[in-house]
Amino acid sequence: MLSLRQLFLANNAQTTDFPLMLEFERAEGVYMYDMEGKPNLDLISGIGVSNIGHSHPEVISTIKDQLDKYMHLMVYGEYVQTPQVRFAEKLTSLLPAQLQSVYFTNSGTEAIEGAMKLAKRYTGRQHIISCHNSYHGSTQGALSIMGNEEFKQAYRPLLPGVSFIQFNNHHDLDYITEETACVVLETIQGEAGIRVPDGAYMQALRDRCSQTGTLLILDENQTAFGRTGKLFAFEHFGIEPDILVLGKALGGGMPLGAFIASSEIMGALKNNPILGHLTTFGGHPVCCASGLASLEVILNNNLIESVAAKEALIKQLLVHPAIKDIRGKGLMLAVEFESFELNKRIIDHCIAQGVITDWFLHCSNAMRIAPPLIITNEQIRHACKVILHAVNQSV
Ligand code: PMP
């Protein structure tokens, strides 16, 4: 009889020849428990998803309550479904006044797709600008705006009319013109290895978009819901997007995305043609109930308050000649080493010691530190001790 691992390799589509192949029986809080019951500290939150930790009891009970009421009833946008309405009400109450219309999707990628369509439809323009080293998803629209040729070349032709600027480069803002429908930007770049832009750049970007009538789309898939020390990362920069894109932690562990704009902008999807964006499962009632419960856990427990202090503790502890840089904001950090080979050896050591981490799509020589926000100082100390030990074993 084949083992579960053998079956995984045989029947589940593989996207690399070297999957992590970790196997867990259950997960709770910051720990994922392997088949022998050994706890593993989750330093990556399933890539920016588990901000409140795994299996939060309030989220679980909310999901169960919704399951008892209904699951799928109808395609998006026709019926008045309580979880969608309540979640949109809560989200918009926490956002700048103009961001009042929420379109729920199944994923962050689909939210990007919807946002790009909306920008084209609203502005009547075709040209889209994105950043080098960006990641916005893997479908053909999102892939078209990915700032890494290596992942794209085999899939051409992709969307025409897309060009790229350097993230955080003031000069490149001149490429934004009256022809540009939108600029799509991660507020803090994730897969580029966590790149934080400076405030003056974000202000200049906002101004340039406003001057040219270009919609500013901020992709907060990785940065939202307290990850960087604010509920949304754009709050650090004193600017507001025209369209905000959410996913990952939005669903509290369930699949959910959203793009959010003013009612005026979003209204463009209603006519010429009607039904400008459609989805069967987008805004699934169980996912919306879960997302709202998760957001309430974040707010009611002031989980964001301690994020900056946790960032400072990690930066204070992770000092070693082999560590070239620690970048990032809040609990969204990249620890950079000399090479991928060294980084990979360190990561393998950490995983063997029960501290789960990985590297970045466009920055393979940096290690990701993005644990659930509920991680305690004691757990941070333990994780950093394991990392430093792994560094010493690997250099
Ligand atoms: N945008 C960003 C910034 C992301 O990091 C990701 C996923 N890593 C996506 C979009 C796509 O999200 P998903 O894979 O959940 O559709």
Side-chain angles (χ1 to χ4, degrees), residues 309-372:
K310 289 172 183 172
E311 170 193 351
L313 180 60
I314 294 170
K315 285 182 169 168
Q316 177 202 322
L317 292 171
L318 284 187
V319 178
H320 191 286
I323 295 177
K324 301 288 165 213
D325 191 15
I326 302 192
R327 285 187 299 274
K329 200 141 190 78
L331 290 173
M332 185 176 174
L333 301 172
V335 183
E336 190 162 305
F337 298 103
E338 193 66 50
S339 64
F340 170 66
E341 290 69 29
L342 175 59
N343 190 28
K344 180 72 168 64
R345 280 202 299 279
I346 295 166
I347 288 169
D348 288 346
H349 270 287
C350 288
I351 292 175
Q353 296 305 309
V355 171
I356 309 296
T357 175
D358 74 339
W359 60 95
F360 298 91
L361 200 60
H362 308 320
C363 186
S364 62
N365 63 327
M367 174 198 279
R368 191 188 314 265
I369 300 192

Side-chain angles (χ1 to χ4, degrees), residues 85-193:
V85 177
R86 291 290 172 223
F87 196 18
E89 179 190 29
K90 185 74 189 179
L91 283 167
T92 53
S93 77
L94 297 163
L95 283 165
Q98 78 279 8
L99 294 176
Q100 62 214 217
S101 181
V102 182
Y103 191 118
F104 285 117
T105 63
N106 299 284
S107 66
T109 303
E110 281 178 63
I112 283 287
E113 296 284 343
M116 288 164 74
K117 280 175 66 184
L118 178 58
K120 286 161 85 174
R121 175 69 190 81
Y122 180 74
T123 61
R125 304 174 185 178
Q126 297 173 0
H127 184 218
I128 293 175
I129 288 182
S130 175
C131 289
H132 290 292
N133 288 323
S134 61
Y135 185 83
H136 299 287
S138 196
T139 55
Q140 293 193 67
L143 192 62
S144 303
I145 60 166
M146 186 197 285
N148 185 333
E149 192 52 33
E150 193 192 331
F151 290 99
K152 295 162 61 164
Q153 58 198 10
Y155 300 103
R156 292 195 182 281
L158 293 168
L159 276 185
V162 178
S163 53
F164 291 86
I165 57 174
Q166 292 290 346
F167 187 76
N168 205 26
N169 179 313
H170 288 254
H171 298 297
D172 278 10
L173 296 178
D174 290 344
Y175 291 113
I176 303 167
T177 69
E178 275 80 13
E179 311 264 283
T180 316
C182 59
V183 175
V184 189
L185 190 103
E186 293 161 82
T187 312
I188 292 173
Q189 281 194 322
E191 294 312 306

Side-chain angles (χ1 to χ4, degrees), residues 276-311:
H277 196 65
L278 291 172
T279 164
T280 299
F281 286 121
H284 193 283
V286 178
C287 304
C288 283
S290 165
L292 176 55
S294 171
L295 179 54
E296 275 170 354
V297 168
I298 292 174
L299 299 173
N300 296 342
N301 297 284
N302 297 320
L303 292 187
I304 304 175
E305 225 166 47
S306 59
V307 167
K310 289 172 183 172
E311 170 193 351

Side-chain angles (χ1 to χ4, degrees), residues 46-64:
I47 316 299
V49 173
S50 321
N51 283 19
I52 61 167
H54 298 275
S55 309
H56 195 286
E58 282 168 42
V59 174
I60 303 287
S61 75
T62 303
I63 288 173
K64 287 181 176 164

